[in-house]
Amino acid sequence: MAERFTKADWEREHLLAGFDRLHDRLRAWAKSAPAWPPYDEAKGLVERLDPRLRVPEIDLDRALVVGFLGGSGTGKSTLFNALLGRRVSRAGKEFRPMTRRAVVACHPDVDPAFLGLDEDALEIHRLNIPLLEQMILIDCPDPDTQDPEDGEGGGRHLDILRSVLPHCDVMVHTVTSQKYKSHVVGQEVRRNAPGRQILFVQTHASIDHDNRPDLRRYLDTLGLRVPEIYRLDAAEAQAKQDAGQPVDAEFARFRDLLEHELASRARHRIRRANLLGLYGWLLSAIRGPVDAGLEAVAKLEGALDQERARMAAKIAAKMSERIDANRRLWRSRVLRQLNQTWGAGPLAFLIGLWSATGSLLRSLILLRARTPTQAILAGGWTAVSLVGEKWRESRAAAALTAEADLGLTEGDLAHARTILQGYLNDAQIRPSPSDDGGDFSAEQLATVAVEVYRRLDAEINEVVEKRVARRAGRGVHVVFEALFALLPAWLVLHMAKNFFYDHMIQGESLLGLDFVFQAAFWCLLWGVAVGGLLLSRLNRGLDHDLKAVVDRLAHAPLLDALCRDASDACLAVRTHSEALAALERDLADLERRVGGVLDLGLGALRVESPPELAAPAANPIPAKTPIAAG
Amino acid sequence: MLEYSTWSRRVVDLAGALSRLEAEAEAAGIAPQVTAAWHANLHQKLVPQAVDAPYLIVAVAGGANMGKSTMFNHLVGFPASRVHHNAAETKHPVCMLPRGFTDRHDLAKVFPGFTLQPWKSEDDAVAEGHPDGLVYREDPTGSQPENLVLLDTPDVDAALPNNWKLAEAITHAADVLIALLTQQKYNDEKIRRFFRIAAEADKAVLAVVNLIDWPDDRDHCRGWLDTFRKGTGAEPLHAYAVPRDRAAVRDNRLTFHPLSPRATDPRKDLAELQFAEIKIRSLRGSLRQALDPDEGIPAYLRDLEKRADDNRQARAVIHQKVQVKIDLPRPPGHIVGDEIWRWLEPRRTWFDRKVHGAYGALGRTVAKWLPGSVEPAEDEARFLAEEKTQLNKALEAVYHDLEQVHRVGSPALRQELQPLIAGDQRRRAFEELQRRLAAAPLATEAYRRAIATRLEAFEAEHPTMMRAIEWGLVATAIARPAVTIGMFGAADMAAGPLFDAGGHAIGQVFFDVAAGSALTAGGEGAFARISGPARALIGDLFAAFYRERAELLAKVIDDCVVGRHLDRIERLADLGQGQDFQTAYKLAAELSRELAALDEPALEAAAAEG
Ligand SMILES: Nc1nc2c(ncn2[C@@H]2O[C@H](COP(=O)(O)OP(=O)(O)OP(=O)(O)O)[C@@H](O)[C@H]2O)c(=O)[nH]1
Ligand SMILES: Nc1nc2c(ncn2[C@@H]2O[C@H](COP(=O)(O)OP(=O)(O)OP(=O)(O)O)[C@@H](O)[C@H]2O)c(=O)[nH]1
Ligand SMILES: [Mg+2]
Ligand SMILES: [Mg+2]
């Protein structure tokens, strides 16, 4: 018979796929985590919880396991018996503690072997009653009578309790007036709360005061969400059952909840809610240390920025000092640029001549140029590359140039390095050193410096080009050439007039060589005046522009390379924390789809549990059995 | 029997020595063990009661909601401590004193460490108040036996640790405990442990099994009491059963069913207690507990000794590891030269002045044209820049060394060094160094004085050689001593000429003036001929200069890097050798021996019986 794939089935598959995806992502996240203590811790946690996180479909379907947790004498066994309607587990006043092994009540069809418990740790009762069709009840030993330090005399019943609880989907927490605030019991509930639902019951209703309001307050301080607390009297219910009378309303309500709501209808929902609760607990347990660690990382980043800024300020100050000191160099560069743009023309020729003399001087200067900045100001990158090669070759040379030119000494580097190391320690980050010698090393600085010079050269070039193009374009060229030509033209005119008119017609004497010399002199003077005007026009405000370039450079991300290793490590940590946030969103999404179990009156760990309580308790558990959270 | 007066004196001395020791240890970062049983036994019981205490302290004790306050109210005969259906409601001990007690005794000495609050109403005990609050009242009925002090205590097992702390403190002071037991709680681990400790301190116990179904539970009661005896080692003097009876609670008229042969009613039985015997037994029990080899005073002293050893080791490690050699740059020659001229100036004759003035001017002019010579200002700037680099590097080296020590150190040392090598601290140290460097003049007044003293001494010793000096031969000579800065120079201090950087015995800068080899000169030939004593003189003059410069770094290291913390290590290291430690050790050993001698016959008797 062909089975139909219903909408419910489809939704179910979809949900299971969601769980698988969440699980895969979490594993992938843990696996790819960068080395950092909070992440290492997270890895361990994921590893430990993995068997419980990866829940096969079949597991979501099996009988609901309900365990009883409460102080000795609070009536766990009595309630257990009353629910089953018969005396299965020994209850009474003779001894405290009374129950010393896990008493399991299950349907004959159910095999409790999956609990993986020791033979002598438990006692199995197979009962063919409707209550147990979808449910396994486990009466557990108490957590408060055994001295955790002497396991001997008191037996191992605390250990048995702790090995049973991890298998429970639901815990029934029984309390009495005397024991509801018991410290050890509270801690036990708390450590077993992640990933399971809790039903709170105050027993001894016929003889004890109603302490539920205070109990609720107390549970709240433990970080538990408490929708409902039942208050009933199991001894009375049992007596009534024995006598064949109807049981108390509250008891009946409690039994119905277990039998009809939880075990049959809501079983899957509870399992999924448990799983989600476990994920939620896990993620918040991971989140706590990560967030705490990120604060130190933020401080580290702040320190990095501060050190870089300090260096940038020094570099900028030193470079603008250089610009002030080397006026002639950058002016000659402007001249050369002008010469290149203008090409032909009398004034251009004159300027070319001027520039050529300048070049000669410049090459002389370049020979003496001690620092790259001077070289750049004078002659551009090609000159610098030569020097640059040299720095890279020797560390000492690098340090020297850096000091001379960037205004940074080895001392400054030592200063920055030491502070950085301190913050690295604080943030527990160990960056893997790259091949440039590590953060704030002289080599790294040299590499950065070469980059700075390259950029400086390019930017200066751009400034000069732009300036020449804007202030001495074609139009200006024509105007200035014309202006320059004005005097020679007038002189030519004058000479022509002298020759053709004055001399030939009027018979006056020709202008002598005197005049020619004078004319040449005046032409030169005129040319210098016009050229000077042009150059002053070009050079005005240039130092300002150059300083702006330096300033821009000092603030450019160029300097980020100065401690790249550390910032890379910080970035990796941050990115991974964002990936964790994505996981949290995935989980929230899944939670929305599964829906809560609040309507059932089940308590559980609040999601926003206080971080100091969320520490996982050590729980040695034999291999192969599912692992407990607490 | 231990002689009352002889040991009460020593107990008080022991407590005094221990208190001082604890204060010293606390100053060095070891928290006092105020919660330890020995501490409470010593200060809550032995000291207040050792001298003269003609009264018994009777405390009602047990877990939350077992009916302690109900029991207490019954004992005092009126509702003095609020009975509430919620658990852990009683948050402060309530003390009912016999008439006229406060006239005869200083209550603050009877209950040291508590904040005493006079009783105002029944609700005092349940009010949120001072964490160490104790409510007291003199018995208004006048029926309370005059040698009994009755107390209600907070619980020992619920969620408020402060309650346990108060209950334990009261119990340590007590001579008699009224142990509340119930079917649910009589064998709880917390309760068992609480009464076991009391039984070990030889306190008398009265057991009250509360909230029982009488007479159904009558037989169970005996079994429970047996379990209680076995679990705690306590032998109740009397035992009673109190039925669960709301009306009786309301009317403060509890019914007591005797469970032991001679028991009648707790009020009557209490009044007839063997006063002296119980008192001495409980005092001796407390002393035994205080002197417990594993958890008592001996253990505390051992612990301190171990800490001291650890810190001595730490001190040695730091001393070995943290040392930097500073390679300070060549000094600006004129600094020393100018100071010498300045010193010489008033001492010269007119002729000298003329001649040497000319030579001096000439010398300076010549020096200017010597190859490699520089302007003084430029020279100073160079020196300062290079020095800054060197000092920064030295500070880096110090941090590097500290980090190494931190890495390999013991947990205690690691914890101690952790804050030292944090980023913020490093930043502060570096900033401080830059600030002080910027503020420090090259030649200080102290330096001038040092030069003058040295020159005067030299003049007295070698009057003839003064000539050479006056002739300015030394003006351009330069010496460069090697400087090492290290921590904890105790051993080295004995070995060589040392310089103490601060008030502490730490952060030592020690000097090694390699005068001969490091002496260099501006104008080689002439100065190479400087003779031995003059050479030494110049070496010293420069050493004094370098000392001032290195002191700057040493002070920064002392003030900002390690000072306070190493101080603590130092103090911890010396803890085990102090007078108080020795006294405490001696007294504890003596008392322990005497106690053991007392216990021996008792043990033998028990063995013979068994
Ligand atoms: N009146 C009343 N008595 C109860 C109730 N529950 C338990 N009791 C009594 O309390 C005593 C102890 O009950 P148990 O069920 O043995 O307690 P437990 O929690 O199993 O104790 P351990 O096995 O020692 O951990 C028994 O005598 C019960 O009759 C209740 O709801 N009302
Ligand atoms: N029926 C009955 N109730 C009692 C008896 N003794 C105490 N109670 C009840 O037990 C509850 C607690 O009594 P308390 O005397 O306040 O107990 P406690 O030990 O002082 O409790 P905390 O100080 O809050 O730890 C109250 O509701 C009392 O009415 C008793 O003999 N019979
Ligand atoms: Mg039981
Ligand atoms: Mg009370």
Side-chain angles (χ1 to χ4, degrees):
Chain A
M1 199 171 77
E3 279 186 39
R4 289 210 26 223
F5 200 65
T6 63
K7 184 163 177 286
D9 284 339
W10 188 83
E11 271 174 1
R12 202 174 97 108
E13 290 304 320
H14 199 62
L15 209 58
L16 286 173
F19 273 113
D20 286 347
R21 204 165 46 240
L22 187 62
H23 180 249
D24 290 347
R25 283 199 189 155
L26 182 63
R27 301 253 337 156
W29 180 86
K31 213 168 147 214
S32 65
W36 190 45
Y39 289 150
D40 298 343
E41 212 175 287
K43 266 185 204 170
L45 216 53
V46 171
E47 202 54 51
R48 217 160 61 84
L49 286 181
D50 194 51
R52 274 182 73 192
L53 293 173
R54 186 213 319 268
V55 173
E57 193 179 331
I58 181 109
D59 255 27
L60 286 174
D61 217 30
R62 65 167 162 69
L64 194 74
V65 182
V66 178
F68 289 74
L69 172 61
S72 179
T74 52
K76 298 180 293 297
S77 306
T78 311
L79 182 58
F80 176 83
N81 291 342
L83 286 170
L84 294 171
R86 62 203 71 195
R87 285 187 169 65
V88 173
S89 177
R90 187 169 171 205
K93 295 180 175 177
E94 295 90 317
F95 310 108
R96 286 277 73 85
M98 180 67 91
T99 311
R100 285 155 188 268
R101 293 201 289 172
V103 182
V104 179
C106 61
H107 203 262
D109 296 344
V110 177
D111 180 13
F114 71 88
L115 293 175
L117 290 171
D118 268 358
E119 284 295 313
D120 57 344
L122 81 175
E123 184 181 311
I124 298 174
H125 297 266
R126 292 171 200 276
L127 305 172
N128 195 351
I129 53 172
L131 178 76
L132 293 181
E133 265 163 21
Q134 309 278 11
M135 184 158 66
I136 299 174
L137 290 185
I138 309 181
D139 181 21
C140 305
D142 68 277
D144 61 352
T145 56
Q146 182 187 321
D147 187 343
E149 279 156 34
D150 65 32
E152 302 302 321
R156 305 178 298 113
H157 66 269
L158 183 62
D159 305 334
I160 294 178
L161 169 72
R162 288 184 177 166
S163 64
V164 170
L165 285 177
H167 303 286
C168 298
D169 301 306
V170 176
M171 293 191 294
V172 175
H173 179 34
T174 57
V175 301
T176 62
S177 260
Q178 283 178 47
K179 289 204 162 177
Y180 72 94
K181 256 183 177 172
S182 180
H183 179 69
V184 269
V185 179
Q187 294 306 307
E188 202 65 36
V189 172
R190 183 63 187 71
R191 58 192 262 156
N192 286 289
R196 48 186 64 90
Q197 311 297 321
I198 311 170
L199 280 168
F200 300 100
V201 182
Q202 178 176 5
T203 61
H204 292 70
S206 64
I207 49 175
D208 275 3
H209 240 280
D210 183 355
N211 296 103
R212 286 180 296 177
D214 196 40
L215 171 59
R216 194 179 280 278
R217 275 195 295 277
Y218 172 57
L219 293 173
D220 193 61
T221 63
L222 288 181
L224 296 169
R225 126 174 95 68
V226 186
E228 174 151 25
I229 300 174
Y230 292 84
R231 179 162 180 265
L232 44 84
D233 196 299
E236 217 172 75
Q238 201 169 32
K240 284 196 174 148
Q241 280 176 341
D242 290 348
Q245 289 166 0
V247 294
D248 201 59
E250 185 86 343
F251 180 81
R253 202 162 71 83
F254 181 71
R255 194 175 54 188
D256 281 355
L257 173 79
L258 273 181
E259 181 171 358
H260 297 123
E261 285 292 332
L262 303 193
S264 48
R265 274 200 282 282
R267 198 169 74 235
H268 296 99
R269 212 145 52 100
I270 289 174
R271 279 254 160 66
R272 285 171 200 158
N274 281 350
L275 193 54
L276 286 176
L278 190 63
Y279 271 106
W281 174 84
L282 176 63
L283 289 187
S284 72
I286 292 176
R287 179 50 86 184
V290 167
D291 279 351
L294 278 180
E295 273 172 35
V297 172
K299 253 181 114 179
L300 168 62
E301 286 167 332
L304 282 182
D305 287 344
Q306 205 174 333
E307 289 311 306
R308 276 195 205 122
R310 210 165 53 81
M311 301 213 151
K314 280 200 156 179
I315 293 177
K318 190 72 178 187
M319 282 196 170
S320 32
E321 194 184 290
R322 292 262 171 226
I323 285 175
D324 280 341
N326 294 289
R327 249 160 229 286
R328 285 244 297 284
L329 293 178
W330 44 263
R331 285 195 179 151
S332 85
R333 190 162 173 171
V334 172
L335 205 62
R336 199 170 43 149
Q337 179 64 31
L338 185 70
N339 208 25
Q340 277 169 9
T341 5
W342 277 15
L347 183 61
F349 173 73
L350 194 70
I351 288 176
L353 217 62
W354 191 340
S355 163
T357 3
S359 283
L360 201 70
L361 273 176
R362 209 167 50 232
S363 47
L364 284 178
I365 290 175
L366 210 58
L367 281 181
R368 278 195 55 189
R370 293 209 204 134
T371 75
T373 317
Q374 280 177 327
I376 288 168
L377 289 172
W381 181 247
T382 26
V384 175
S385 329
L386 273 170
V387 189
E389 279 313 308
K390 256 198 216 147
W391 314 321
R392 264 183 285 209
E393 273 165 27
S394 103
R395 190 191 136 99
L400 214 82
T401 43
E403 177 170 348
D405 225 47
L406 299 182
L408 295 178
T409 64
E410 282 256 45
D412 290 315
L413 288 179
H415 179 166
R417 239 180 350 240
T418 312
I419 291 181
L420 173 68
Q421 189 57 48
Y423 285 106
L424 279 175
N425 291 348
D426 295 353
Q428 298 180 296
I429 284 185
R430 312 230 167 289
S432 41
S434 48
D435 47 7
D436 66 356
D439 286 338
F440 289 127
S441 63
E443 288 93 327
Q444 195 183 51
L445 183 64
T447 318
V448 171
V450 169
E451 197 52 38
V452 170
Y453 296 140
R454 196 193 294 281
R455 280 284 296 276
L456 184 65
D457 183 50
E459 296 240 355
I460 289 184
N461 219 17
E462 199 185 319
V463 165
V464 170
E465 265 174 19
K466 255 199 204 138
R467 194 166 258 273
V468 169
R470 213 177 41 242
R471 300 196 179 180
R474 185 160 286 280
V476 179
H477 185 191
V478 172
V479 170
F480 270 88
E481 286 288 1
L483 200 63
F484 177 64
L486 228 53
L487 182 64
W490 182 81
L491 284 174
V492 168
L493 265 178
H494 185 72
M495 281 197 284
K497 178 173 164 275
N498 174 261
F499 185 79
F500 291 110
Y501 179 72
D502 291 350
H503 175 62
M504 305 261 278
I505 299 172
Q506 305 275 325
E508 286 176 26
S509 60
L510 275 175
L511 287 170
L513 221 52
D514 264 16
F515 178 80
V516 175
F517 278 132
Q518 270 196 42
F521 171 71
W522 282 109
C523 276
L524 199 66
L525 214 62
W526 179 238
V528 169
V530 170
L533 184 69
L534 177 65
L535 287 180
S536 88
R537 189 184 140 86
L538 276 178
N539 285 334
R540 199 174 334 116
L542 183 54
D543 56 346
H544 192 78
D545 284 5
L546 290 182
K547 280 187 189 166
V549 165
V550 166
D551 204 48
R552 243 199 339 275
L553 267 187
H555 293 106
L558 209 60
L559 280 175
D560 288 0
L562 248 189
C563 41
R564 209 182 30 233
D565 300 347
S567 28
D568 283 357
C570 289
L571 188 67
V573 164
R574 273 204 187 284
T575 318
H576 212 65
S577 140
E578 273 151 27
L580 180 64
L583 272 176
E584 285 159 352
R585 280 194 297 280
D586 284 357
L587 176 64
D589 199 40
L590 212 53
E591 264 163 358
R592 232 183 358 266
R593 273 162 44 201
V594 169
V597 285
L598 274 177
D599 52 320
L600 302 172
L602 290 168
L605 210 56
R606 273 199 311 267
V607 182
E608 70 289 353
S609 63
E612 70 274 9
L613 283 172
N619 194 3
I621 287 211
K624 281 189 71 185
T625 65
I627 287 176
Chain B
M1 182 61 38
L2 207 55
E3 212 26 78
Y4 222 69
S5 57
T6 72
W7 65 265
S8 64
R9 179 80 262 128
R10 281 177 292 169
V11 162
V12 172
D13 289 349
L14 176 63
L18 277 171
S19 296
R20 286 190 299 276
L21 197 59
E22 273 186 306
E24 285 167 43
E26 192 175 12
I30 301 180
Q33 291 195 325
V34 280
T35 52
W38 69 260
H39 203 276
N41 273 311
L42 189 64
H43 295 287
Q44 303 285 341
K45 177 150 192 103
L46 291 170
V47 173
Q49 298 172 22
V51 182
D52 165 43
Y55 51 84
L56 287 183
I57 294 183
V58 182
V60 183
N65 247 353
M66 290 170 92
K68 296 181 297 302
S69 302
T70 312
M71 178 71 200
F72 175 74
N73 288 345
H74 176 85
L75 288 179
V76 301
F78 72 103
S81 178
R82 166 67 71 205
V83 171
H84 195 280
H85 59 263
N86 280 348
E89 279 294 324
T90 306
K91 294 180 194 72
H92 307 287
V94 180
C95 176
M96 196 58 63
L97 303 161
R99 280 244 166 115
F101 187 87
T102 44
D103 304 336
R104 281 171 272 137
H105 304 276
D106 181 358
L107 211 53
K109 286 210 178 110
V110 178
F111 296 109
F114 284 97
T115 307
L116 300 172
Q117 293 159 341
W119 189 92
K120 286 197 289 298
S121 81
E122 156 178 41
D123 287 326
D124 289 354
V126 300
E128 297 289 345
H130 195 281
D132 294 322
L134 179 145
V135 183
Y136 71 93
R137 184 182 189 186
E138 281 199 5
D139 168 37
T141 62
S143 59
Q144 188 167 325
E146 64 163 15
N147 58 0
L148 290 189
V149 174
L150 299 178
L151 283 134
D152 183 22
T153 63
D155 64 274
V156 300
D157 64 345
L160 301 174
N162 194 53
N163 282 8
W164 321 338
K165 191 194 92 183
L166 292 175
E168 279 162 19
I170 292 291
T171 307
H172 281 302
D175 302 291
V176 182
L177 288 185
I178 300 192
L180 258 281
L181 304 174
T182 61
Q183 186 272 128
Q184 282 178 26
K185 284 196 173 179
Y186 72 93
N187 200 23
D188 277 7
E189 195 271 329
K190 276 256 187 189
I191 308 272
R192 228 166 40 215
R193 175 191 297 259
F194 180 83
F195 287 114
R196 190 184 311 133
I197 292 172
E200 277 163 8
D202 259 353
K203 303 197 185 295
V205 173
L206 270 63
V208 176
V209 190
N210 196 17
L211 294 166
I212 66 166
D213 297 332
W214 192 263
D216 302 0
D217 289 341
R218 184 208 293 262
D219 295 332
H220 292 148
C221 283
R222 302 201 188 281
W224 301 343
L225 277 173
D226 279 343
T227 311
F228 175 72
R229 273 195 207 98
K230 277 202 210 90
T232 60
E235 268 311 324
L237 296 179
H238 301 290
Y240 316 87
V242 181
R244 182 191 291 279
D245 179 355
R246 277 224 174 116
V249 173
R250 201 174 45 242
D251 304 341
N252 200 12
R253 203 192 299 277
L254 301 182
T255 322
F256 289 86
H257 298 287
L259 291 175
S260 57
R262 268 162 294 132
T264 53
D265 176 282
R267 293 181 69 156
K268 193 158 153 285
D269 294 339
L270 275 177
E272 287 167 6
L273 283 180
Q274 302 283 325
F275 172 86
E277 192 186 315
I278 288 178
K279 187 85 209 173
I280 287 173
R281 226 180 65 173
S282 78
L283 280 171
R284 207 210 298 176
S286 279
L287 188 60
R288 191 179 305 120
Q289 212 164 53
L291 293 173
D292 186 85
D294 297 327
E295 278 156 28
I297 294 165
Y300 175 68
L301 291 177
R302 268 203 311 278
D303 190 42
L304 279 190
E305 211 169 15
K306 185 166 171 326
R307 288 287 286 264
D309 281 350
D310 282 355
N311 280 282
R312 256 199 299 282
Q313 246 167 25
R315 181 166 68 176
V317 170
I318 290 180
H319 179 210
Q320 275 170 14
K321 290 266 161 65
V322 186
Q323 265 185 29
V324 279
K325 287 214 160 53
I326 313 177
D327 193 14
L328 281 176
R330 189 168 54 75
H334 65 275
I335 288 284
V336 177
D338 285 358
E339 290 311 319
I340 296 175
W341 285 120
R342 193 200 302 275
W343 181 80
L344 283 174
E345 200 59 30
R347 279 154 222 270
R348 287 187 297 176
T349 61
W350 174 85
F351 172 77
D352 272 354
R353 228 173 288 171
K354 275 273 176 255
V355 174
H356 298 150
Y359 268 101
L362 186 71
R364 263 185 292 250
T365 322
V366 169
K368 220 174 242 176
W369 291 101
L370 281 174
S373 74
V374 276
E375 283 293 308
E378 219 176 291
D379 203 19
E380 277 183 23
R382 173 205 51 86
F383 174 80
L384 287 176
E386 282 177 24
E387 180 197 49
K388 191 163 164 185
T389 299
Q390 292 307 332
L391 293 188
N392 272 333
K393 280 167 82 172
L395 196 50
E396 181 185 32
V398 167
Y399 273 114
H400 182 78
D401 290 350
L402 277 176
E403 219 171 286
Q404 293 288 307
V405 174
H406 177 255
R407 197 162 302 149
V408 300
S410 66
L413 180 61
R414 287 173 64 97
Q415 198 190 336
E416 200 65 34
L417 291 181
Q418 186 64 49
L420 282 186
I421 55 171
D424 288 340
Q425 188 65 28
R426 291 176 188 228
R427 181 192 297 286
R428 225 166 292 140
F430 270 97
E431 277 168 6
E432 189 60 23
L433 177 64
Q434 319 303 323
R435 202 182 59 69
R436 291 193 192 179
L437 271 178
L442 264 180
T444 63
E445 227 11 85
Y447 177 52
R448 290 201 177 118
R449 270 199 308 280
I451 284 202
T453 320
R454 184 67 182 87
L455 282 173
E456 271 153 30
F458 186 79
E459 190 179 22
E461 253 178 72
H462 314 278
T464 50
M465 285 177 72
M466 253 349 249
R467 287 268 112 190
I469 293 189
E470 282 169 29
W471 277 70
L473 284 180
V474 296
T476 48
I478 283 170
R480 204 139 63 111
V483 179
T484 306
I485 293 187
M487 318 284 155
F488 293 129
D492 307 64
M493 251 189 295
L498 281 179
F499 159 72
D500 192 346
H504 316 287
I506 48 154
Q508 305 293 348
V509 183
F510 28 108
F511 274 80
D512 177 18
V513 186
S517 56
L519 195 68
T520 58
E524 335 279 329
F527 306 106
R529 269 181 263 122
I530 294 181
S531 62
R535 199 181 268 265
L537 169 72
I538 291 166
D540 282 359
L541 296 184
F542 276 95
F545 173 73
Y546 275 105
R547 166 174 302 180
E548 296 236 316
R549 306 310 291 177
E551 182 183 10
L552 214 123
L553 178 63
K555 280 229 173 92
V556 169
I557 293 178
D558 197 39
D559 293 349
C560 305
V561 183
V562 288
R564 207 162 31 82
H565 287 268
L566 291 195
D567 225 25
R568 229 164 67 180
I569 291 183
E570 187 84 346
R571 259 194 251 168
L572 281 174
D574 292 340
L575 211 57
Q577 270 128 13
Q579 180 63 42
D580 291 323
F581 184 89
Q582 305 296 346
T583 312
Y585 198 93
K586 195 177 114 261
L587 286 175
E590 255 174 47
L591 287 168
S592 295
R593 256 197 312 280
E594 283 171 38
L595 253 185
L598 267 177
D599 285 347
E600 219 156 79
L603 281 179
E604 268 164 24
E609 249 176 59

